[in-house]
Amino acid sequence: MDCVPIEQLPQSAQRVQRALEGHGMAARVVVLPHSTRTAVDAAAAIGCSVAQIVKSLVFRADSGDAVLVLASGINRVDVEMLAGHAGVRLGKADADFVRTATGFAIGGVPPVGHPGPLATFIDRDLLELGSLWAAGGTPHAIFPVSPQELVRITGGHVVPVTGASAPGESWPSAHRMPCPEVRRLAPPDAPLHRKLMLEAYAFSAEAFTSSVTEREALPLQWWADRMADTPSASELVFGAFIGEELVGAAGLSVERRERTRHKATLFGMYVRPAHREGGIGGLLVRSILRHARESGRVEVVQLTVSERNAGAISLYARCGFLCFGTEPMAVKLGESYINKVHMWQRVAPDAPWR
C-alpha cells in the first residue's frame, strides 16, 4: 500500500485527507487496486482481520437527520438498540440521502470530512482492538486509525451496537484470552473485594482519596454492607473474575438527598496490573453505566480521577464521560498535592443525543 501525494488522490479521498490533517493526524489515505466496499473485501485487501475494519453505516432519524454508526466489521448493528441510544426512531437511508448528508457515496463513507456535523455512534467493541482501518472516501480508499483517534476526531458516542457477531465470524485469535466474568458482588465476596482494594490503596495511592490505614481499620461487615442488595441500598460494586480470582472492581454510589438523588458516583475503580491489557476496565465501567441506565432512577453518573492518570482519563472518555473541570490540590499525599479531574455522563433514557 503506497502513499501518493494528496493531489493524486481521487477528489473524495482528498477531502478525507484534508480532514485528517485538520485534526492533526499524520495518517495517509491510500487507494487499493481492489474494492473495499464491504468489510470482508477491505480485510482481504489489507491483510487484517474483519474485526479491524470500521464499517460506516448511515441511518435516517424520524427528524430527518442522519445518524452515522461506526461499527466493527464483524458486528451486525442492532437498529433498535441504536435507536435507544439516539433517542429517536431510525430507518433506512437511501443512496441519495447518504450522499447529501455525508458528501460521499455508500461504500466509501469516511468517519470525517462531512459537509456538516453528524450524530455519530461508535461500536464499543472497536475500543478493544489495537489498530483499525476506516473508509477513505471511495470504495477503494482507506486509512489507518487507532480507536482513541477515532473517538477524538469524530466526537462520537461510544456505545454497544450489537448483541452478536455476523454468522461464521469471530474475534481474531489475538483476543482469545481468558474471558472475564463481570458480575455484581454480594456480601460473601467481601473478603475478596477488601483484599483487592487494600492492594489498590497501597500500589496506586495517587488514584484514591482513601488510604490503606483508613480502610484496613474498617470491619469486614463494612465491606459487606456496600454489596447488600436491599431496597434501601445506595451503593453497589461490580467485580471482574478470571476463574476464581477477583482481578478488578468498580462501584456506584447513588445520592440519597431529594434534590440530588438523580445523580450517582462511580468509585473504587481498580484493575490488577497484570490484567490491564484485556479491556477489563472498560467492561467494568460499562457494567456500571448499564446498571445506572436500567435503574430508571439515575440520570447522571459522575467521577473524579487523578489529573496525572492519563490512561484512566482516556478510558472514561472512551466510555462516554466528559470533563467539566479540574479541582486543584484535591488530595494531599505526603507533601505533594494531586489535582482531580471531574467527569460526568448523562445516562437517562431521554438524554439528548447531540
Side-chain angles (χ1 to χ4, degrees):
M1 295 183 288
D2 296 326
C3 295
V4 298
I6 187 171
E7 59 271 12
Q8 295 181 22
L9 292 171
Q11 287 295 320
S12 293
Q14 287 186 32
R15 288 178 11 230
V16 177
Q17 185 63 62
R18 291 193 179 95
L20 294 176
E21 292 172 357
H23 285 289
M25 287 186 60
R28 304 294 298 177
V29 175
V30 295
V31 178
L32 301 174
H34 303 291
S35 172
T36 60
R37 185 180 295 273
T38 71
V40 173
D41 290 342
I46 299 166
C48 68
S49 71
V50 179
Q52 292 173 272
I53 301 300
V54 180
K55 293 191 297 189
S56 300
L57 304 175
V58 179
F59 294 89
R60 183 170 188 157
D62 55 5
S63 62
D65 294 321
V67 174
L68 175 64
V69 185
L70 305 174
S72 170
I74 67 169
N75 284 347
R76 284 182 171 173
V77 173
D78 184 325
V79 180
E80 290 188 5
M81 179 184 290
L82 178 64
H85 297 314
V88 294
R89 289 191 296 274
L90 297 176
K92 278 188 167 184
D94 60 29
D96 289 340
F97 179 84
V98 172
R99 184 181 285 277
T100 300
T102 70
F104 300 89
I106 292 174
V109 176
V112 294
H114 315 125
L118 288 180
T120 302
F121 294 86
I122 299 174
D123 182 353
R124 71 180 184 188
D125 287 348
L126 290 173
L127 302 184
E128 307 300 330
L129 299 166
S131 60
L132 307 170
W133 293 88
T138 79
H140 291 264
I142 55 165
F143 68 91
V145 61
S146 72
Q148 294 76 22
E149 288 174 326
L150 185 65
V151 174
R152 180 180 67 82
I153 66 177
T154 63
H157 303 275
V158 179
V159 297
V161 301
T162 185
S165 302
E169 296 171 336
S170 60
W171 287 99
S173 57
H175 293 270
R176 290 172 189 158
M177 56 186 69
C179 184
E181 175 197 2
V182 177
R183 63 171 174 82
R184 183 172 175 176
L185 299 184
D189 298 309
L192 290 176
H193 185 235
R194 178 180 184 273
K195 179 180 179 182
L196 177 75
M197 295 313 298
L198 291 181
E199 171 190 314
Y201 302 140
F203 295 107
S204 299
E206 285 194 5
F208 298 96
T209 303
S210 300
S211 69
V212 175
T213 303
E214 291 172 335
R215 293 301 198 217
E216 199 169 30
L218 294 171
L220 188 60
Q221 188 60 46
W222 180 88
W223 299 85
D225 288 344
R226 304 190 101 177
M227 305 170 193
D229 188 3
T230 64
S232 62
S234 61
E235 294 184 330
L236 59 92
V237 180
F238 276 86
F241 290 83
I242 299 291
E244 299 297 318
E245 181 187 2
L246 180 63
V247 300
L252 186 72
S253 176
V254 181
E255 297 276 356
R256 293 183 174 183
R257 299 175 64 186
E258 179 182 355
R259 296 185 179 182
T260 59
R261 61 189 180 193
H262 64 290
K263 298 190 297 182
T265 300
L266 190 155
F267 70 87
M269 171 71 179
Y270 179 72
V271 177
R272 283 187 166 141
H275 298 278
R276 290 178 184 171
E277 299 300 319
I280 291 174
L283 291 175
L284 286 166
V285 175
R286 293 181 196 114
S287 294
I288 291 287
L289 292 174
R290 187 179 304 114
H291 177 89
R293 188 174 296 113
E294 293 174 353
S295 72
R297 171 184 166 189
V298 176
E299 298 179 42
V300 173
V301 175
Q302 55 193 11
L303 61 87
T304 62
V305 56
S306 169
E307 187 180 46
R308 302 174 186 174
N309 197 341
I313 293 172
S314 176
L315 168 64
Y316 295 134
R318 295 198 304 271
C319 291
F321 282 89
L322 301 173
C323 172
F324 65 90
T326 300
E327 179 185 358
M329 300 176 67
V331 176
K332 187 174 183 179
L333 189 61
E335 296 304 313
S336 301
Y337 294 94
I338 300 170
N339 298 339
K340 288 280 189 177
V341 175
H342 289 247
M343 306 182 78
W344 81 294
Q345 179 173 169
R346 188 170 181 185
V347 297
D350 60 347
W353 54 282
R354 281 190 182 278

